[in-house]
Amino acid sequence: MGYHHLAVDDIEPTPDRPSVQRSISDAAGLENAAVNLYEVSPGEDIPLAYHYHDNQEELFYVLSGTLAVETPDGTYEVEEDEAFVVEPDSPQRAHNPESATEPVRTLVVGAPAVDDVHPYDPE
């Protein structure tokens, strides 16, 4: 058996990202899911640009603020205590718009934990 009790704010942010990313899955040694906490200031993206995954499903759960998720179908506004789910092969770009007045704090879970990301060009 294995258990991990983590103080998420004590996890060092991942370097060289456009917003603060704290990898809960790395800190806990998880192998089957990518779990990250993001703190996104106005005008910042969650680390990846407009993209899609071959096999990974993603779930964005907004803890505070409003997350914008741009898709080919339009932009969704995901409010505090709401979740947004992205299926494989579905392009998206999650960000906090320049016009926002507060940061966004969101928990993002991706499974399986694979590096199957591809850039998406909406044009």
Side-chain angles (χ1 to χ4, degrees):
M1 286 188 237
Y3 306 95
H4 304 274
H5 182 189
L6 306 168
V8 176
D9 287 339
D10 291 343
I11 298 171
E12 286 294 317
T14 305
D16 302 321
R17 299 292 181 159
S19 60
V20 175
Q21 173 193 21
R22 298 179 195 279
S23 177
I24 298 168
S25 51
D26 285 351
L30 299 179
E31 296 178 4
N32 299 313
V35 182
N36 295 288
L37 177 71
Y38 290 98
E39 298 157 0
V40 190
S41 294
E44 291 182 339
D45 287 338
I46 285 184
L48 296 171
Y50 214 143
H51 70 283
Y52 67 95
H53 295 273
D54 292 326
N55 298 302
Q56 189 179 68
E57 299 171 316
E58 290 183 289
L59 175 132
F60 297 81
Y61 178 72
V62 177
L63 301 168
S64 64
T66 301
L67 182 68
V69 183
E70 183 180 344
T71 74
D73 295 334
T75 300
Y76 294 85
E77 289 188 356
V78 188
E79 304 284 338
E80 184 174 321
D81 288 326
E82 292 183 346
F84 187 81
V85 176
V86 180
E87 296 177 3
D89 292 320
S90 299
Q92 56 87 7
R93 179 178 78 96
H95 65 283
N96 191 1
E98 238 356 280
S99 60
T101 59
E102 62 183 359
V104 175
R105 189 170 164 106
T106 185
L107 182 71
V108 180
V109 178
V114 293
D115 187 12
D116 66 348
V117 67
H118 302 284
Y120 175 76
D121 185 359
E123 295 175 20

